[in-house]
PDB file of all heavy atoms in Angstrom:
ATOM      1  N   LEU A   4      47.722  51.349  -1.507  1.00 93.00           N
ATOM      2  CA  LEU A   4      49.084  51.169  -1.916  1.00 93.00           C
ATOM      3  C   LEU A   4      49.171  50.219  -3.020  1.00 93.00           C
ATOM      4  O   LEU A   4      50.180  50.294  -3.925  1.00 93.00           O
ATOM      5  CB  LEU A   4      49.966  50.743  -0.699  1.00 93.00           C
ATOM      6  CG  LEU A   4      50.141  51.714   0.379  1.00 93.00           C
ATOM      7  CD1 LEU A   4      50.924  51.162   1.585  1.00 93.00           C
ATOM      8  CD2 LEU A   4      50.906  52.963  -0.173  1.00 93.00           C
ATOM      9  N   LEU A   5      48.427  49.084  -2.986  1.00 94.00           N
ATOM     10  CA  LEU A   5      48.412  48.189  -4.084  1.00 94.00           C
ATOM     11  C   LEU A   5      48.033  48.749  -5.469  1.00 94.00           C
ATOM     12  O   LEU A   5      48.718  48.530  -6.473  1.00 94.00           O
ATOM     13  CB  LEU A   5      47.540  46.971  -3.779  1.00 94.00           C
ATOM     14  CG  LEU A   5      47.273  45.923  -4.887  1.00 94.00           C
ATOM     15  CD1 LEU A   5      48.643  45.225  -5.196  1.00 94.00           C
ATOM     16  CD2 LEU A   5      46.209  44.950  -4.510  1.00 94.00           C
ATOM     17  N   ALA A   6      47.028  49.512  -5.412  1.00 94.00           N
ATOM     18  CA  ALA A   6      46.568  50.222  -6.632  1.00 94.00           C
ATOM     19  C   ALA A   6      47.551  51.270  -7.160  1.00 94.00           C
ATOM     20  O   ALA A   6      47.919  51.336  -8.396  1.00 94.00           O
ATOM     21  CB  ALA A   6      45.263  50.969  -6.468  1.00 94.00           C
ATOM     22  N   ILE A   7      48.261  51.975  -6.223  1.00 94.00           N
ATOM     23  CA  ILE A   7      49.304  52.941  -6.601  1.00 94.00           C
ATOM     24  C   ILE A   7      50.478  52.198  -7.181  1.00 94.00           C
ATOM     25  O   ILE A   7      51.053  52.595  -8.110  1.00 94.00           O
ATOM     26  CB  ILE A   7      49.788  53.774  -5.347  1.00 94.00           C
ATOM     27  CG1 ILE A   7      48.587  54.736  -4.924  1.00 94.00           C
ATOM     28  CG2 ILE A   7      50.959  54.559  -5.698  1.00 94.00           C
ATOM     29  CD1 ILE A   7      48.767  55.503  -3.704  1.00 94.00           C
ATOM     30  N   GLY A   8      50.884  51.087  -6.481  1.00 94.00           N
ATOM     31  CA  GLY A   8      52.007  50.250  -7.053  1.00 94.00           C
ATOM     32  C   GLY A   8      51.718  49.658  -8.393  1.00 94.00           C
ATOM     33  O   GLY A   8      52.632  49.696  -9.250  1.00 94.00           O
ATOM     34  N   LEU A   9      50.478  49.196  -8.610  1.00 94.00           N
ATOM     35  CA  LEU A   9      50.165  48.684  -9.934  1.00 94.00           C
ATOM     36  C   LEU A   9      50.333  49.712 -11.063  1.00 94.00           C
ATOM     37  O   LEU A   9      50.795  49.482 -12.048  1.00 94.00           O
ATOM     38  CB  LEU A   9      48.682  48.167  -9.819  1.00 94.00           C
ATOM     39  CG  LEU A   9      48.179  47.640 -11.254  1.00 94.00           C
ATOM     40  CD1 LEU A   9      48.914  46.512 -11.793  1.00 94.00           C
ATOM     41  CD2 LEU A   9      46.652  47.354 -11.172  1.00 94.00           C
ATOM     42  N   GLU A  10      49.755  50.996 -10.810  1.00 94.00           N
ATOM     43  CA  GLU A  10      49.819  52.039 -11.720  1.00 94.00           C
ATOM     44  C   GLU A  10      51.392  52.425 -11.876  1.00 94.00           C
ATOM     45  O   GLU A  10      51.716  52.726 -13.060  1.00 94.00           O
ATOM     46  CB  GLU A  10      49.046  53.219 -11.281  1.00 94.00           C
ATOM     47  CG  GLU A  10      49.065  54.364 -12.303  1.00 94.00           C
ATOM     48  CD  GLU A  10      48.522  53.994 -13.585  1.00 94.00           C
ATOM     49  OE1 GLU A  10      47.915  52.882 -13.892  1.00 94.00           O
ATOM     50  OE2 GLU A  10      48.549  54.856 -14.581  1.00 94.00           O
ATOM     51  N   PHE A  11      52.134  52.432 -10.812  1.00 94.00           N
ATOM     52  CA  PHE A  11      53.552  52.786 -10.997  1.00 94.00           C
ATOM     53  C   PHE A  11      54.266  51.783 -11.824  1.00 94.00           C
ATOM     54  O   PHE A  11      55.146  52.220 -12.720  1.00 94.00           O
ATOM     55  CB  PHE A  11      54.178  52.760  -9.602  1.00 94.00           C
ATOM     56  CG  PHE A  11      55.676  52.777  -9.603  1.00 94.00           C
ATOM     57  CD1 PHE A  11      56.266  53.984  -9.861  1.00 94.00           C
ATOM     58  CD2 PHE A  11      56.404  51.701  -9.323  1.00 94.00           C
ATOM     59  CE1 PHE A  11      57.671  54.041  -9.797  1.00 94.00           C
ATOM     60  CE2 PHE A  11      57.710  51.687  -9.334  1.00 94.00           C
ATOM     61  CZ  PHE A  11      58.458  52.924  -9.589  1.00 94.00           C
ATOM     62  N   VAL A  12      53.930  50.526 -11.673  1.00 95.00           N
ATOM     63  CA  VAL A  12      54.683  49.456 -12.472  1.00 95.00           C
ATOM     64  C   VAL A  12      54.274  49.648 -14.006  1.00 95.00           C
ATOM     65  O   VAL A  12      55.107  49.585 -14.885  1.00 95.00           O
ATOM     66  CB  VAL A  12      54.289  48.094 -12.035  1.00 95.00           C
ATOM     67  CG1 VAL A  12      54.819  46.980 -12.913  1.00 95.00           C
ATOM     68  CG2 VAL A  12      54.942  47.886 -10.659  1.00 95.00           C
ATOM     69  N   MET A  13      52.935  49.755 -14.249  1.00 94.00           N
ATOM     70  CA  MET A  13      52.490  49.948 -15.613  1.00 94.00           C
ATOM     71  C   MET A  13      52.970  51.235 -16.346  1.00 94.00           C
ATOM     72  O   MET A  13      53.409  51.178 -17.465  1.00 94.00           O
ATOM     73  CB  MET A  13      50.950  49.981 -15.546  1.00 94.00           C
ATOM     74  CG  MET A  13      50.329  48.641 -15.170  1.00 94.00           C
ATOM     75  SD  MET A  13      50.722  47.232 -16.233  1.00 94.00           S
ATOM     76  CE  MET A  13      51.996  46.476 -15.240  1.00 94.00           C
ATOM     77  N   LEU A  14      52.933  52.356 -15.610  1.00 94.00           N
ATOM     78  CA  LEU A  14      53.526  53.434 -16.132  1.00 94.00           C
ATOM     79  C   LEU A  14      55.010  53.473 -16.402  1.00 94.00           C
ATOM     80  O   LEU A  14      55.532  53.986 -17.388  1.00 94.00           O
ATOM     81  CB  LEU A  14      53.196  54.797 -15.345  1.00 94.00           C
ATOM     82  CG  LEU A  14      51.693  55.244 -15.313  1.00 94.00           C
ATOM     83  CD1 LEU A  14      51.472  56.379 -14.390  1.00 94.00           C
ATOM     84  CD2 LEU A  14      51.244  55.598 -16.703  1.00 94.00           C
ATOM     85  N   GLY A  15      55.727  52.799 -15.470  1.00 94.00           N
ATOM     86  CA  GLY A  15      57.151  52.692 -15.660  1.00 94.00           C
ATOM     87  C   GLY A  15      57.440  51.728 -16.941  1.00 94.00           C
ATOM     88  O   GLY A  15      58.357  52.076 -17.707  1.00 94.00           O
ATOM     89  N   LEU A  16      56.700  50.717 -17.052  1.00 94.00           N
ATOM     90  CA  LEU A  16      56.888  49.860 -18.273  1.00 94.00           C
ATOM     91  C   LEU A  16      56.486  50.644 -19.511  1.00 94.00           C
ATOM     92  O   LEU A  16      57.267  50.481 -20.592  1.00 94.00           O
ATOM     93  CB  LEU A  16      55.965  48.584 -18.106  1.00 94.00           C
ATOM     94  CG  LEU A  16      56.067  47.594 -19.214  1.00 94.00           C
ATOM     95  CD1 LEU A  16      57.523  47.092 -19.481  1.00 94.00           C
ATOM     96  CD2 LEU A  16      55.060  46.502 -19.035  1.00 94.00           C
ATOM     97  N   MET A  17      55.443  51.485 -19.526  1.00 94.00           N
ATOM     98  CA  MET A  17      55.082  52.213 -20.642  1.00 94.00           C
ATOM     99  C   MET A  17      56.196  53.259 -21.030  1.00 94.00           C
ATOM    100  O   MET A  17      56.590  53.448 -22.161  1.00 94.00           O
ATOM    101  CB  MET A  17      53.787  52.898 -20.295  1.00 94.00           C
ATOM    102  CG  MET A  17      53.213  53.718 -21.597  1.00 94.00           C
ATOM    103  SD  MET A  17      51.659  54.447 -21.196  1.00 94.00           S
ATOM    104  CE  MET A  17      51.230  55.223 -22.730  1.00 94.00           C
ATOM    105  N   ALA A  18      56.768  53.980 -19.965  1.00 94.00           N
ATOM    106  CA  ALA A  18      57.806  54.893 -20.166  1.00 94.00           C
ATOM    107  C   ALA A  18      59.040  54.151 -20.842  1.00 94.00           C
ATOM    108  O   ALA A  18      59.684  54.752 -21.705  1.00 94.00           O
ATOM    109  CB  ALA A  18      58.218  55.598 -18.881  1.00 94.00           C
ATOM    110  N   PHE A  19      59.389  53.038 -20.236  1.00 94.00           N
ATOM    111  CA  PHE A  19      60.505  52.299 -20.729  1.00 94.00           C
ATOM    112  C   PHE A  19      60.354  51.913 -22.281  1.00 94.00           C
ATOM    113  O   PHE A  19      61.164  51.894 -23.056  1.00 94.00           O
ATOM    114  CB  PHE A  19      60.698  50.997 -19.841  1.00 94.00           C
ATOM    115  CG  PHE A  19      62.045  50.223 -20.115  1.00 94.00           C
ATOM    116  CD1 PHE A  19      63.175  50.784 -19.866  1.00 94.00           C
ATOM    117  CD2 PHE A  19      61.923  48.984 -20.700  1.00 94.00           C
ATOM    118  CE1 PHE A  19      64.380  50.238 -20.034  1.00 94.00           C
ATOM    119  CE2 PHE A  19      63.198  48.314 -20.956  1.00 94.00           C
ATOM    120  CZ  PHE A  19      64.395  48.958 -20.601  1.00 94.00           C
ATOM    121  N   THR A  20      59.064  51.480 -22.577  1.00 93.00           N
ATOM    122  CA  THR A  20      58.673  51.103 -23.910  1.00 93.00           C
ATOM    123  C   THR A  20      58.859  52.250 -24.854  1.00 93.00           C
ATOM    124  O   THR A  20      59.398  52.138 -25.926  1.00 93.00           O
ATOM    125  CB  THR A  20      57.353  50.466 -24.035  1.00 93.00           C
ATOM    126  OG1 THR A  20      57.345  49.335 -23.140  1.00 93.00           O
ATOM    127  CG2 THR A  20      57.094  49.930 -25.383  1.00 93.00           C
ATOM    128  N   LEU A  21      58.403  53.395 -24.392  1.00 93.00           N
ATOM    129  CA  LEU A  21      58.333  54.583 -25.253  1.00 93.00           C
ATOM    130  C   LEU A  21      59.760  55.116 -25.429  1.00 93.00           C
ATOM    131  O   LEU A  21      60.099  55.685 -26.573  1.00 93.00           O
ATOM    132  CB  LEU A  21      57.572  55.756 -24.607  1.00 93.00           C
ATOM    133  CG  LEU A  21      56.026  55.580 -24.734  1.00 93.00           C
ATOM    134  CD1 LEU A  21      55.314  56.652 -23.980  1.00 93.00           C
ATOM    135  CD2 LEU A  21      55.539  55.389 -26.117  1.00 93.00           C
ATOM    136  N   PHE A  22      60.591  54.831 -24.603  1.00 92.00           N
ATOM    137  CA  PHE A  22      62.011  55.266 -24.654  1.00 92.00           C
ATOM    138  C   PHE A  22      62.682  54.575 -25.800  1.00 92.00           C
ATOM    139  O   PHE A  22      63.530  55.212 -26.462  1.00 92.00           O
ATOM    140  CB  PHE A  22      62.844  55.063 -23.314  1.00 92.00           C
ATOM    141  CG  PHE A  22      64.154  55.511 -23.374  1.00 92.00           C
ATOM    142  CD1 PHE A  22      64.627  56.730 -23.200  1.00 92.00           C
ATOM    143  CD2 PHE A  22      65.262  54.485 -23.513  1.00 92.00           C
ATOM    144  CE1 PHE A  22      65.872  57.175 -23.190  1.00 92.00           C
ATOM    145  CE2 PHE A  22      66.605  54.917 -23.588  1.00 92.00           C
ATOM    146  CZ  PHE A  22      66.868  56.198 -23.408  1.00 92.00           C
ATOM    147  N   TYR A  23      62.279  53.230 -26.089  1.00 91.00           N
ATOM    148  CA  TYR A  23      63.010  52.500 -27.073  1.00 91.00           C
ATOM    149  C   TYR A  23      62.178  52.470 -28.421  1.00 91.00           C
ATOM    150  O   TYR A  23      62.542  51.767 -29.340  1.00 91.00           O
ATOM    151  CB  TYR A  23      63.244  51.194 -26.665  1.00 91.00           C
ATOM    152  CG  TYR A  23      64.435  50.936 -25.662  1.00 91.00           C
ATOM    153  CD1 TYR A  23      64.288  50.946 -24.195  1.00 91.00           C
ATOM    154  CD2 TYR A  23      65.723  51.139 -26.170  1.00 91.00           C
ATOM    155  CE1 TYR A  23      65.337  50.865 -23.418  1.00 91.00           C
ATOM    156  CE2 TYR A  23      66.880  51.046 -25.243  1.00 91.00           C
ATOM    157  CZ  TYR A  23      66.594  50.917 -23.905  1.00 91.00           C
ATOM    158  OH  TYR A  23      67.630  50.864 -23.112  1.00 91.00           O
ATOM    159  N   THR A  24      61.050  53.127 -28.440  1.00 89.00           N
ATOM    160  CA  THR A  24      60.283  53.230 -29.678  1.00 89.00           C
ATOM    161  C   THR A  24      60.877  54.061 -30.722  1.00 89.00           C
ATOM    162  O   THR A  24      61.212  55.150 -30.394  1.00 89.00           O
ATOM    163  CB  THR A  24      58.803  53.582 -29.286  1.00 89.00           C
ATOM    164  OG1 THR A  24      58.320  52.836 -28.321  1.00 89.00           O
ATOM    165  CG2 THR A  24      57.938  53.603 -30.574  1.00 89.00           C
ATOM    166  N   GLU A  25      60.935  53.512 -31.930  1.00 80.00           N
ATOM    167  CA  GLU A  25      61.547  54.280 -32.970  1.00 80.00           C
ATOM    168  C   GLU A  25      60.679  55.384 -33.424  1.00 80.00           C
ATOM    169  O   GLU A  25      59.467  55.265 -33.508  1.00 80.00           O
ATOM    170  CB  GLU A  25      61.870  53.340 -34.201  1.00 80.00           C
ATOM    171  CG  GLU A  25      62.900  52.306 -33.849  1.00 80.00           C
ATOM    172  CD  GLU A  25      64.336  52.923 -33.694  1.00 80.00           C
ATOM    173  OE1 GLU A  25      64.572  54.025 -34.105  1.00 80.00           O
ATOM    174  OE2 GLU A  25      65.150  52.227 -32.945  1.00 80.00           O
ATOM    175  N   GLU A  26      61.240  56.504 -33.790  1.00 74.00           N
ATOM    176  CA  GLU A  26      60.533  57.692 -34.295  1.00 74.00           C
ATOM    177  C   GLU A  26      60.028  57.371 -35.678  1.00 74.00           C
ATOM    178  O   GLU A  26      60.679  56.634 -36.499  1.00 74.00           O
ATOM    179  CB  GLU A  26      61.524  58.938 -34.391  1.00 74.00           C
ATOM    180  CG  GLU A  26      61.995  59.457 -33.079  1.00 74.00           C
ATOM    181  CD  GLU A  26      61.017  60.081 -32.299  1.00 74.00           C
ATOM    182  OE1 GLU A  26      59.811  60.468 -32.863  1.00 74.00           O
ATOM    183  OE2 GLU A  26      61.067  60.139 -31.014  1.00 74.00           O
ATOM    184  N   GLU A  27      58.848  57.879 -35.907  1.00 65.00           N
ATOM    185  CA  GLU A  27      58.174  57.552 -37.193  1.00 65.00           C
ATOM    186  C   GLU A  27      58.905  58.431 -38.350  1.00 65.00           C
ATOM    187  O   GLU A  27      59.337  59.586 -37.971  1.00 65.00           O
ATOM    188  CB  GLU A  27      56.690  57.993 -37.224  1.00 65.00           C
ATOM    189  CG  GLU A  27      55.846  57.044 -36.390  1.00 65.00           C
ATOM    190  CD  GLU A  27      54.433  57.301 -36.416  1.00 65.00           C
ATOM    191  OE1 GLU A  27      54.073  58.275 -37.205  1.00 65.00           O
ATOM    192  OE2 GLU A  27      53.565  56.704 -35.697  1.00 65.00           O
ATOM    193  N   GLU A  28      58.950  57.872 -39.575  1.00 53.00           N
ATOM    194  CA  GLU A  28      59.643  58.591 -40.620  1.00 53.00           C
ATOM    195  C   GLU A  28      58.793  59.892 -40.870  1.00 53.00           C
ATOM    196  O   GLU A  28      57.517  59.842 -40.842  1.00 53.00           O
ATOM    197  CB  GLU A  28      59.734  57.677 -41.831  1.00 53.00           C
ATOM    198  CG  GLU A  28      60.572  58.175 -42.881  1.00 53.00           C
ATOM    199  CD  GLU A  28      60.869  57.133 -43.974  1.00 53.00           C
ATOM    200  OE1 GLU A  28      60.329  56.185 -43.927  1.00 53.00           O
ATOM    201  OE2 GLU A  28      61.574  57.508 -44.916  1.00 53.00           O
ATOM    202  N   ARG A  29      59.516  60.858 -41.348  1.00 49.00           N
ATOM    203  CA  ARG A  29      58.881  62.126 -41.712  1.00 49.00           C
ATOM    204  C   ARG A  29      57.947  61.975 -42.847  1.00 49.00           C
ATOM    205  O   ARG A  29      58.215  61.229 -43.782  1.00 49.00           O
ATOM    206  CB  ARG A  29      59.953  63.142 -42.100  1.00 49.00           C
ATOM    207  CG  ARG A  29      60.672  63.797 -40.957  1.00 49.00           C
ATOM    208  CD  ARG A  29      61.857  64.579 -41.369  1.00 49.00           C
ATOM    209  NE  ARG A  29      61.435  65.513 -42.514  1.00 49.00           N
ATOM    210  CZ  ARG A  29      62.317  66.333 -43.228  1.00 49.00           C
ATOM    211  NH1 ARG A  29      63.613  66.337 -42.866  1.00 49.00           N
ATOM    212  NH2 ARG A  29      61.871  67.048 -44.188  1.00 49.00           N
ATOM    213  N   MET A  30      56.815  62.654 -42.740  1.00 48.00           N
ATOM    214  CA  MET A  30      55.663  62.455 -43.785  1.00 48.00           C
ATOM    215  C   MET A  30      56.162  62.900 -45.153  1.00 48.00           C
ATOM    216  O   MET A  30      55.827  62.261 -46.175  1.00 48.00           O
ATOM    217  CB  MET A  30      54.508  63.255 -43.251  1.00 48.00           C
ATOM    218  CG  MET A  30      53.281  63.040 -44.259  1.00 48.00           C
ATOM    219  SD  MET A  30      52.859  61.276 -44.376  1.00 48.00           S
ATOM    220  CE  MET A  30      52.272  61.017 -42.611  1.00 48.00           C
ATOM    221  N   ASP A  31      57.040  63.989 -45.192  1.00 51.00           N
ATOM    222  CA  ASP A  31      57.374  64.474 -46.544  1.00 51.00           C
ATOM    223  C   ASP A  31      58.300  63.392 -47.215  1.00 51.00           C
ATOM    224  O   ASP A  31      58.217  63.303 -48.387  1.00 51.00           O
ATOM    225  CB  ASP A  31      58.088  65.799 -46.460  1.00 51.00           C
ATOM    226  CG  ASP A  31      59.347  65.731 -45.578  1.00 51.00           C
ATOM    227  OD1 ASP A  31      59.332  64.807 -44.786  1.00 51.00           O
ATOM    228  OD2 ASP A  31      60.151  66.609 -45.638  1.00 51.00           O
ATOM    229  N   LYS A  32      59.163  62.725 -46.499  1.00 52.00           N
ATOM    230  CA  LYS A  32      59.955  61.771 -47.121  1.00 52.00           C
ATOM    231  C   LYS A  32      59.067  60.494 -47.482  1.00 52.00           C
ATOM    232  O   LYS A  32      59.342  59.918 -48.611  1.00 52.00           O
ATOM    233  CB  LYS A  32      61.072  61.255 -46.114  1.00 52.00           C
ATOM    234  CG  LYS A  32      62.065  62.299 -45.783  1.00 52.00           C
ATOM    235  CD  LYS A  32      63.265  61.702 -44.918  1.00 52.00           C
ATOM    236  CE  LYS A  32      64.374  62.656 -44.836  1.00 52.00           C
ATOM    237  NZ  LYS A  32      65.513  62.043 -44.015  1.00 52.00           N
ATOM    238  N   MET A  33      58.132  60.177 -46.780  1.00 51.00           N
ATOM    239  CA  MET A  33      57.244  59.069 -47.149  1.00 51.00           C
ATOM    240  C   MET A  33      56.535  59.383 -48.482  1.00 51.00           C
ATOM    241  O   MET A  33      56.429  58.516 -49.298  1.00 51.00           O
ATOM    242  CB  MET A  33      56.320  58.740 -46.025  1.00 51.00           C
ATOM    243  CG  MET A  33      56.974  58.187 -44.788  1.00 51.00           C
ATOM    244  SD  MET A  33      55.875  57.911 -43.404  1.00 51.00           S
ATOM    245  CE  MET A  33      54.726  56.643 -44.059  1.00 51.00           C
ATOM    246  N   LEU A  34      55.992  60.539 -48.525  1.00 56.00           N
ATOM    247  CA  LEU A  34      55.246  60.991 -49.726  1.00 56.00           C
ATOM    248  C   LEU A  34      56.232  61.019 -50.895  1.00 56.00           C
ATOM    249  O   LEU A  34      55.731  60.697 -52.012  1.00 56.00           O
ATOM    250  CB  LEU A  34      54.652  62.418 -49.526  1.00 56.00           C
ATOM    251  CG  LEU A  34      53.553  62.458 -48.437  1.00 56.00           C
ATOM    252  CD1 LEU A  34      53.074  63.945 -48.306  1.00 56.00           C
ATOM    253  CD2 LEU A  34      52.301  61.588 -48.873  1.00 56.00           C
ATOM    254  N   LYS A  35      57.470  61.532 -50.676  1.00 53.00           N
ATOM    255  CA  LYS A  35      58.393  61.480 -51.758  1.00 53.00           C
ATOM    256  C   LYS A  35      58.615  60.042 -52.306  1.00 53.00           C
ATOM    257  O   LYS A  35      58.740  59.806 -53.544  1.00 53.00           O
ATOM    258  CB  LYS A  35      59.729  62.135 -51.396  1.00 53.00           C
ATOM    259  CG  LYS A  35      60.759  62.235 -52.388  1.00 53.00           C
ATOM    260  CD  LYS A  35      60.325  63.092 -53.556  1.00 53.00           C
ATOM    261  CE  LYS A  35      61.548  63.402 -54.540  1.00 53.00           C
ATOM    262  NZ  LYS A  35      62.116  62.215 -55.056  1.00 53.00           N
ATOM    263  N   LYS A  36      58.894  59.129 -51.432  1.00 51.00           N
ATOM    264  CA  LYS A  36      59.068  57.780 -51.863  1.00 51.00           C
ATOM    265  C   LYS A  36      57.900  57.075 -52.463  1.00 51.00           C
ATOM    266  O   LYS A  36      58.066  56.373 -53.457  1.00 51.00           O
ATOM    267  CB  LYS A  36      59.621  56.912 -50.648  1.00 51.00           C
ATOM    268  CG  LYS A  36      60.915  57.402 -50.059  1.00 51.00           C
ATOM    269  CD  LYS A  36      61.358  56.625 -48.809  1.00 51.00           C
ATOM    270  CE  LYS A  36      62.673  57.057 -48.330  1.00 51.00           C
ATOM    271  NZ  LYS A  36      63.038  56.449 -47.147  1.00 51.00           N
ATOM    272  N   MET A  37      56.753  57.507 -52.008  1.00 55.00           N
ATOM    273  CA  MET A  37      55.557  56.972 -52.809  1.00 55.00           C
ATOM    274  C   MET A  37      55.388  57.575 -54.117  1.00 55.00           C
ATOM    275  O   MET A  37      55.003  56.946 -55.071  1.00 55.00           O
ATOM    276  CB  MET A  37      54.300  57.272 -51.837  1.00 55.00           C
ATOM    277  CG  MET A  37      54.318  56.578 -50.476  1.00 55.00           C
ATOM    278  SD  MET A  37      52.876  57.122 -49.489  1.00 55.00           S
ATOM    279  CE  MET A  37      51.507  56.724 -50.496  1.00 55.00           C
TER     280      MET A  37
END
């Protein structure tokens, strides 16, 4: 249960972080600006 709880906490934190991670800019726009 300790190992399961540890993985639950880490995956929950990872999901929370990914939810607020900004999307990368489209490659075609980046190439156009370059």
Side-chain angles (χ1 to χ4, degrees):
L4 291 176
L5 173 64
I7 294 174
L9 174 63
E10 182 61 8
F11 168 77
V12 171
M13 294 298 102
L14 287 178
L16 181 60
M17 185 177 180
F19 190 68
T20 303
L21 289 176
F22 180 80
Y23 285 102
T24 301
E25 294 293 336
E26 296 289 340
E27 295 183 359
E28 192 173 1
R29 283 172 47 185
M30 184 59 66
D31 57 342
K32 288 187 176 182
M33 295 177 62
L34 293 175
K35 179 64 170 56
K36 291 175 182 179
M37 292 174 61

